[in-house]
Amino acid sequence: MAEPQMSMAEKMAILTGRKKVEEKPPTPPPRVPEKHPPGVGSLFISDETCKKFNIEKKIDTENNIHFKADTKMVKEDIKNLGAESNFFPLKDMLMNYHEEYFLLRYIADDRYVCNHNFELVYLVEVRDAIIKELEDRIAAAKAAEGPRFWMNLGSDMEVDAEIVKDTRDPVLIQATKKRKDYYLKAALADREAYETWTSAAMECRPFSDPSFDGQFMVEQETATQAIPIIQDTGAQTVQKVHRNNQVQYQPITEDPAKIRDILSSKEMGDFLSKAKYRYVDALQQNEVFDLFEDEFAQFVDEEYQHGDKAVTSVSEYQSFSELNYGKSKMVSAIDWMPGKRGIVAVALTATHSFDERIQVAERVASSHVLLWTFADPVHPWAVLESISDVFCLRFNPVKPTIITGGCFNGQVNVWDITKAQDYQDARDRKEPEEPPIYLVKENKGEKKTVEPPFVPFLLMSTMATSHTSIVSDIHWLPKDFEISVDGVANNGETNLIASCSADGLIIFWDITSSKEPELDPSWSDERKWAAYEEQKYMWTPLYRLELKSESRRVGPLKMCRGFQETIYYCSTEFGEVAEVDLNIPTGTPNVAKVTGVHQGPVRAVLKSPFFDDVLFTVGIWTFALWRTNIEVHIIFFQLLNLFFVNITKIL
C-alpha cells in the first residue's frame, strides 16, 4: 500500500526543525500457530456454556488444572442447538466418543491463532496419559514435602488420664522343687475321684482365704455423663368461645315454561323409560326393608349370651347322608339341577392324602356321584358311577338330564339320567310299575327294598387324550359357540364341553362326536352289545389348547367366560388371574394378561349376574372385583374381620 504524500508546508516545517518526524514502531512478525497435539482439539466456549457445564476460565501453570464435561450433556447440546452449539466444530470426533466424560483445559494465550480458549481431548489414550501425568506430579510433590510433624492439640492429657499406673512395687514370687523329686517313675492306675479327694495325693485342696475380703476394692471404674436437668412443665392452650354459625341460601328455580319443556322433551322420556325398573325396584325395597335399621346394634348387646333365644342365627335346614356310598368320604363338588326344583348332585371322594393315593393308584376302585332330592333326605334320588373320584361337576343348562364331571386321573365323564328321571317321575305319580331287577335288593328274612337308580357313564375320555393332572374345572359352552377350522357348532344345543387342569391345557369335548360302531350282521346280540359298550371308552377330544404367555406356561385352576365371545378368564394356584384369547393361532402366546393379586390358589372366578363388565375372584383369605380388564382391580378385600360392604355404591 502506498504511503500518503506530504504537502510542501509539512516538508518545510520538517526542514526548519519546527516539526519532528514521528518514528513508527516496528511491525511485529506474524505469529506462527502451534499444531494441535494428537487427540486434542480446540474450540471457543462462551460464558453461558461454561456456566451450564460447570467449567471455569482459569489457568494454573503449576497444577495444570483440567475440567471434566459430561459426554451425554455434550451430545445433547449438539443435537438440540446444532451449529449454534460451541461443540459443533468437533462434532464428528465427539459423537464417536463413548466414555463417561471429556477432558477440558483453559488456554488464554491463543496459541492456535484461532480465538479459541479451550482445549478438548477426544481420544481415550491421550486422556488417560494426561490424568496419569497429573497423578504422578501430585505424588511427587507430596513425596518432596516429607513426613508431617505431629501437632499437639491437647489430646496427650486425655491419653495420660486413661493410662493405668502402678501404685506399688510388684510382688516377686519364687517357686522351687527339690532335685530328688525330678525323674521319678510314675505308675498310672484307675482310681475313683472321691478316693483322690480324701487321700494325701491331692496336693492343693480348695480352701477359703481368710485374708481376702470381698468388699475391699482396690480399683473401681465408674462412668458419668452430663445431662440437662429434666423438668416437667404443663401448658394450657386458650380455648376459644363457641359461637353458632348460620348460612342463608336461596333454592335454584327455573321458569315454569322451561320446566314444562324439559319434562316434555324426548331426552327426559328416554331417561325415565330406562330408569323405570331401577327406581321401581328401589321403592319396593324401601317398603320392605327398614332404611334406618342399625345392622351393628346386635354386636354390642351387653345381654348377649350363647344360646339365648332372642339371638337369631342361620340354622341347618336339611342334611343328606348315605352309609353305603358316603361313609368316611368328603364332598368335592356340588351342582344344582336346572329346571327342576330341589335336586342337587353331590360328588363324593375318598379322604386320602397324596401319598395314600399313590399307593392305591394301581388298584381297581370306584367312585360315585349322588343325586339328592328334598323330598327324601335318606335315600338318594340316583347314583352315578365313576371309575375315579370326581372333583368338578356340571349339569347341562339346556338338557338337565346330561351331566359331565372331571376326575382325579384327568379323565372326563358324561352321564345320561333320562331313564332314572322317568323311573322317579313314575314313582312320584304312584304308577304301578315294577322296578328293574337290578334295582331290587333282597336279604334273607327281610323285605324287598328298592335301591336308587344306578346310572353308568355314557362317555368316558381315553387316558392318552385326557389331562395329565386333576380336572379342576369344567363348563358347558353356550349354544352359539363354534370351534375348529370346520366350524363345529352346537347347532342350537349345548353339546360342547371345556375342561381345564393344572397341566396347562384347556380341552374341548363334543358329546355328539362319538360314532356308531361298525357291526357285522353275523354277530350275536351279546357281541353287538359289547361293541356298543366299548365305543363309550373311545371318546376323544375335539381340540386341545395350551395356555402360554410370553414367558411361561400357565396352569389354569378355574375358568370363566369373559365379556367377549372368545375371551376367557382363568385362575392359577399361585394367586394369579389370566386373560386368555381363544381366537389366537396355535403356537403363539394366547395369554394376553396375567395379574397376581391373591395369596394362594384362586378358588373361584365368576361373572356378575347384574353387571356385564364386572368379574369376581376369590382366594383363600381375599377376594377382588375387576371391571373390563384384569390389569387393575377396582376393589380388594382381605378377610380378617367380619364386615359388610355395599357393592352397588362402589360400582
Side-chain angles (χ1 to χ4, degrees), residues 169-361:
D169 297 334
V171 179
L172 180 63
I173 300 175
Q174 183 178 4
T176 60
K177 189 176 182 180
K178 296 181 181 180
R179 177 176 288 277
K180 64 178 181 179
D181 294 335
Y182 289 96
Y183 305 106
L184 295 179
K185 294 182 180 181
L188 303 178
D190 296 336
R191 182 180 295 181
E192 297 294 338
Y194 67 89
E195 295 180 0
T196 306
W197 183 269
T198 57
S199 65
M202 179 171 287
E203 298 178 356
C204 183
R205 296 183 180 181
F207 66 96
S208 59
D209 189 1
S211 61
F212 176 76
D213 187 1
Q215 298 180 355
F216 177 73
M217 293 182 292
V218 178
E219 184 178 354
Q220 182 180 4
E221 294 183 0
T222 59
T224 59
Q225 183 176 358
I227 59 174
I229 299 176
I230 299 176
Q231 182 179 1
D232 296 335
T233 58
Q236 179 92 24
T237 57
V238 179
Q239 186 176 5
K240 296 183 179 180
V241 180
H242 293 281
R243 293 182 177 86
N244 296 327
N245 297 328
Q246 61 182 2
V247 177
Q248 184 177 3
Y249 64 92
Q250 182 179 1
I252 300 175
T253 59
E254 290 287 350
D255 186 43
K258 187 175 182 181
I259 294 176
R260 287 194 299 270
D261 295 340
I262 294 175
L263 294 178
S264 60
S265 62
K266 183 179 180 299
E267 291 79 4
M268 180 61 70
D270 296 341
F271 167 73
L272 294 177
S273 300
K274 186 183 298 183
K276 174 182 177 181
Y277 300 101
R278 294 188 179 180
Y279 68 73
V280 169
D281 188 16
L283 292 176
Q284 292 177 353
Q285 290 182 1
N286 292 342
E287 295 293 335
V288 176
F289 298 102
D290 185 9
L291 299 178
F292 303 100
E293 181 183 0
D294 187 6
E295 291 85 356
F296 297 95
Q298 58 179 338
F299 296 106
V300 296
D301 191 2
E302 297 179 356
E303 299 179 357
Y304 169 75
Q305 293 181 0
H306 184 70
D308 190 358
K309 296 182 180 179
V311 179
T312 59
S313 60
V314 179
S315 59
E316 178 183 340
Y317 174 72
Q318 197 168 14
S319 62
F320 306 96
S321 61
E322 214 283 331
L323 299 179
N324 295 330
Y325 301 103
K327 186 178 181 180
S328 301
K329 290 190 176 182
M330 65 177 182
V331 177
S332 58
I334 299 176
D335 194 23
W336 293 90
M337 184 176 182
K340 196 149 187 176
R341 185 176 181 182
I343 297 180
V344 61
V346 179
L348 303 176
T349 59
T351 57
H352 292 328
S353 62
F354 182 77
D355 296 334
E356 292 174 348
R357 289 187 181 274
I358 293 178
Q359 294 178 3
V360 300

Side-chain angles (χ1 to χ4, degrees), residues 125-164:
E125 297 81 3
V126 178
R127 185 202 67 179
D128 295 341
I130 294 174
I131 294 176
K132 186 176 183 306
E133 181 183 356
L134 291 176
E135 292 177 352
D136 295 343
R137 186 182 300 175
I138 293 172
K142 290 183 178 180
E145 292 179 359
R148 296 183 180 181
F149 295 97
W150 178 74
M151 183 181 296
N152 185 9
L153 299 178
S155 60
D156 55 342
M157 300 176 62
E158 298 179 1
V159 174
D160 293 340
E162 294 294 332
I163 295 176
V164 179

Side-chain angles (χ1 to χ4, degrees), residues 612-628:
D612 297 335
D613 57 347
V614 175
L615 189 70
F616 182 64
T617 58
V618 181
I620 297 179
W621 290 103
T622 57
F623 73 88
L625 288 175
W626 315 79
R627 168 170 283 178
T628 306

Side-chain angles (χ1 to χ4, degrees), residues 61-79:
T61 56
E62 296 181 358
N63 298 326
N64 200 2
I65 296 177
H66 288 74
F67 303 97
K68 295 181 180 179
D70 186 66
T71 305
K72 186 176 180 181
M73 292 180 60
V74 171
K75 293 183 178 180
E76 290 180 355
D77 188 76
I78 296 174
K79 292 179 181 179

Side-chain angles (χ1 to χ4, degrees), residues 408-464:
F408 177 82
N409 59 359
Q411 291 180 289
V412 178
N413 296 343
V414 176
W415 296 275
D416 187 358
I417 60 172
T418 303
K419 295 182 179 179
Q421 184 176 2
D422 294 341
Y423 171 70
Q424 293 292 359
D425 292 343
R427 286 189 60 188
D428 296 339
R429 293 192 299 267
K430 298 182 180 180
E431 296 179 358
E433 180 180 354
E434 291 294 331
I437 299 177
Y438 64 87
L439 297 179
V440 179
K441 182 178 181 181
E442 181 180 3
N443 295 331
K444 294 182 179 180
E446 298 181 0
K447 296 182 180 180
K448 294 182 179 180
T449 58
V450 179
E451 293 289 330
F454 192 81
V455 182
F457 53 85
L458 178 65
L459 295 172
M460 183 178 66
S461 62
T462 60
M463 288 293 296

